[in-house]
Amino acid sequence: MNICFFNRSYWPEAGATGRLLAQLAEDLVGAHGCDVTVVAGRPVETAAQQESFRLTASAKATASPPKHLRRRKPDATSFWNSVASAFRRKTAPAETYRGVRIIRAGGTTFNRRRFAGRALNYLTYFASACLSALRVPPPDVAIALSDPPIIGFAALLASRRSGGRFVLVCQDLFPEVTILLDDFHSRIVDRVLFWINRFLMRRADRVVVVGEAMKEKVVATRGIDEANVIVIHNWCDRAQVTPAPRRNAVAIELGLADGFVVMHSGNMGFAQDLDTLLDAAASLRDLRDVTVAIVGGGARRAALEARVRDEGLTNVRLLPYQPEERLSDTLASADVHVVSMKRGLEGCLVPSKLYGVLAAGRAYIAAAEPTTEVATIASGTGSGIVVPPGRAAGLAAAVRRLHADRALTARLGRAALAASATYDRPRQVAAYFDVFASLAPSNEPVFHAKGSKAGSSP
């Protein structure tokens, strides 16, 4: 089966969507014998670059560079030269990584922490991806993810050119998630994004969503046949992330080996409502042994660091992104995790960090609306405590409860580990394979890797 994915973010970038796509593509090759091509953008920000940006931002907060080293704002000529150069470069040959053929579409690599930079990166990648859609090996199935939300047109073009099938995978629901943008809001843009999203869903042979709440929202608001919408959750690789001792080498190195640690691990973006976590930390300062550890990087890291510094939140530690090979020990360094979502995002996205917490066998607090995927998994599996989003008092009360009742904390952790089997990587990849195999014309028998369990969404 010849499969082609379209998504700007891909290995070696650090973002969750790119990492999950890389795992999916590699397993479709290695475990299911597929021929997989990914039309991706040029890498914009790897994990190492995230940490470099953090250090640079911290340095800028304490000192201004010499005048002769300050970066000048680009004028119109240099701006258009940058855009043009992205397409003047000769097409790079396809590279192969872990069996996956990767085609790097052209496009700009402006600073994506500003709306203008993000928009130009998206549009120029989209234009180049559409050209790539005319040159890729004819796919049996062309799949688009949601980075950017218009990329589905390129996958639709590739599928129609080859007589193949088209699948839309919704990691985020647009335009609903645009409420997270602090630097740009437009009703006109939102209407256009809604029309694009609905158009692509109605043209897709299957729509894959990452949660039951998202399925309900898609069916209700886009007018899509429920039978065409398939739920496949994101995952964690239980072969990679396993329960580890609370006191381990990473915990000692990061200064988290002692006391009671409350952790948020992952992206520090606009969806996670980390300001509420800092509000809760401020009210927990009377518990001398409680440390709130926020691990990772993202668009809001510099602002969070400034607030911790200005308010003297000595019980909060902001720690750098940790590489995947240290993930088990990093997650095990906490007694309890916080998985939060801002109000209004029900059915629009699902934080992928949840599945790593489950695999690590740690209790968690779901600071989210009760009908979100995060909250329903917590309550349905008995692996976490659900509190209202944006309520620092409720979040702090949940921390106090778990701090006082260590038996409850341990019991929630055991339930989390048991629940993680449902969201293991081989099972979810097999579900994707089943969707693609059901659409692709083939005279060959479908096979599954030894030990993998096929099926649709759990």
Side-chain angles (χ1 to χ4, degrees):
M1 183 163 53
N2 191 341
I3 295 172
C4 185
F5 289 97
F6 289 80
N7 194 63
R8 190 204 56 76
S9 177
Y10 193 71
W11 171 87
E13 287 197 18
T17 301
R19 292 201 315 272
L20 287 167
L21 176 55
Q23 292 173 358
L24 173 59
E26 291 163 13
D27 285 3
L28 288 171
V29 172
H32 297 281
C34 299
D35 184 358
V36 179
T37 299
V38 177
V39 179
R42 296 188 179 99
V44 175
E45 188 176 81
T46 64
Q49 289 169 330
Q50 279 190 351
E51 178 61 5
S52 175
F53 174 82
R54 182 188 75 83
L55 296 173
T56 301
S58 297
K60 285 182 177 179
T62 56
S64 177
K67 187 174 182 179
H68 69 283
L69 293 179
R70 293 175 191 171
R71 182 177 294 179
R72 296 179 179 178
K73 293 182 179 180
D75 57 26
T77 301
S78 62
F79 167 77
W80 288 113
N81 285 342
S82 297
V83 174
S85 66
F87 293 95
R88 280 201 300 265
R89 297 168 186 161
K90 292 182 180 180
T91 302
E95 57 184 308
T96 300
Y97 180 73
R98 295 183 177 176
V100 179
R101 183 188 303 107
I102 306 169
I103 297 174
R104 298 288 180 184
T108 58
T109 54
F110 290 113
N111 184 349
R112 62 182 181 180
R113 288 176 175 79
R114 295 184 177 181
F115 173 78
R118 293 194 303 272
L120 281 165
N121 292 346
Y122 289 159
L123 291 172
T124 52
Y125 160 69
F126 170 71
S128 182
C130 287
L131 295 176
S132 297
L134 300 174
R135 297 193 294 264
V136 296
D140 296 313
V141 185
I143 306 104
L145 279 72
S146 48
D147 180 18
I150 57 176
I151 194 57
F153 285 112
L156 181 61
L157 175 63
S159 68
R160 296 301 182 256
R161 179 180 68 89
S162 65
R165 310 301 286 274
F166 168 49
V167 176
L168 185 65
V169 177
C170 297
Q171 288 286 343
D172 306 292
L173 199 58
F174 288 90
E176 285 85 344
V177 297
T178 61
I179 65 172
L180 299 174
L181 299 178
D182 277 356
D183 52 355
F184 183 83
H185 293 281
S186 169
R187 290 183 180 181
I188 295 175
V189 171
D190 285 351
R191 287 172 185 166
V192 171
L193 286 175
F194 179 85
W195 180 88
I196 289 172
N197 190 246
R198 184 177 61 182
F199 176 88
L200 292 171
M201 285 185 177
R202 292 182 175 182
R203 297 303 186 279
D205 296 287
R206 293 291 184 275
V207 176
V208 176
V209 295
V210 294
E212 295 292 345
M214 187 180 288
K215 178 176 181 177
E216 292 177 8
K217 196 174 190 73
V218 163
V219 172
T221 62
R222 269 63 171 180
I224 311 300
D225 183 355
E226 185 175 358
N228 271 358
V229 184
I230 310 297
V231 177
I232 304 178
H233 292 270
N234 287 334
W235 59 82
C236 184
D237 188 350
R238 296 205 310 162
Q240 179 191 30
V241 179
T242 57
R246 167 68 181 79
R247 186 179 182 87
N248 58 69
V250 172
I252 293 171
E253 178 186 327
L254 298 178
L256 303 176
D258 300 315
F260 188 85
V261 175
V262 179
M263 180 178 289
H264 176 280
S265 176
N267 184 46
M268 300 180 194
F270 296 101
Q272 290 76 31
D273 195 14
L274 293 175
D275 284 302
T276 297
L277 179 56
L278 293 188
D279 290 339
S283 69
L284 291 167
R285 282 185 281 198
D286 60 299
L287 297 179
R288 302 280 183 172
D289 64 330
V290 171
T291 298
V292 176
I294 304 178
V295 183
R300 298 212 60 244
R301 171 149 194 150
L304 294 170
E305 286 181 327
R307 186 178 165 193
V308 168
R309 181 180 62 250
D310 294 344
E311 297 182 16
L313 297 176
T314 56
N315 60 339
V316 176
R317 300 277 310 283
L318 272 82
L319 300 167
Y321 172 90
Q322 299 298 305
E324 287 191 27
E325 60 269 20
R326 290 161 57 101
L327 189 56
S328 288
D329 283 351
T330 301
L331 296 176
S333 300
D335 296 277
V336 60
H337 286 260
V338 173
V339 182
S340 59
M341 287 177 61
K342 282 188 175 179
R343 188 178 300 277
L345 293 176
E346 175 193 1
C348 300
L349 54 84
V350 179
S352 59
K353 67 174 66 65
L354 166 64
Y355 304 102
V357 172
L358 296 177
R362 285 296 185 264
Y364 72 97
I365 301 169
E369 292 169 283
T371 50
T372 60
E373 215 70 25
V374 171
T376 55
I377 290 175
S379 56
T381 63
S383 57
I385 296 175
V386 180
V387 301
R391 303 282 183 85
L395 180 54
V399 172
R400 290 181 185 276
R401 179 184 175 190
L402 294 172
H403 177 265
D405 190 346
R406 304 302 173 89
L408 171 61
T409 304
R411 187 163 66 249
L412 294 176
R414 290 192 295 271
L417 181 60
S420 68
T422 302
Y423 310 105
D424 197 13
R425 173 175 168 179
R427 177 171 181 165
Q428 304 308 94
V429 171
Y432 272 103
F433 176 77
D434 283 348
V435 171
F436 303 153
S438 70
L439 297 174
S442 175
N443 295 319
E444 299 297 326
V446 172
F447 73 94
H448 295 278
K450 184 178 180 181
S452 69
K453 182 176 180 180
S456 59
S457 164

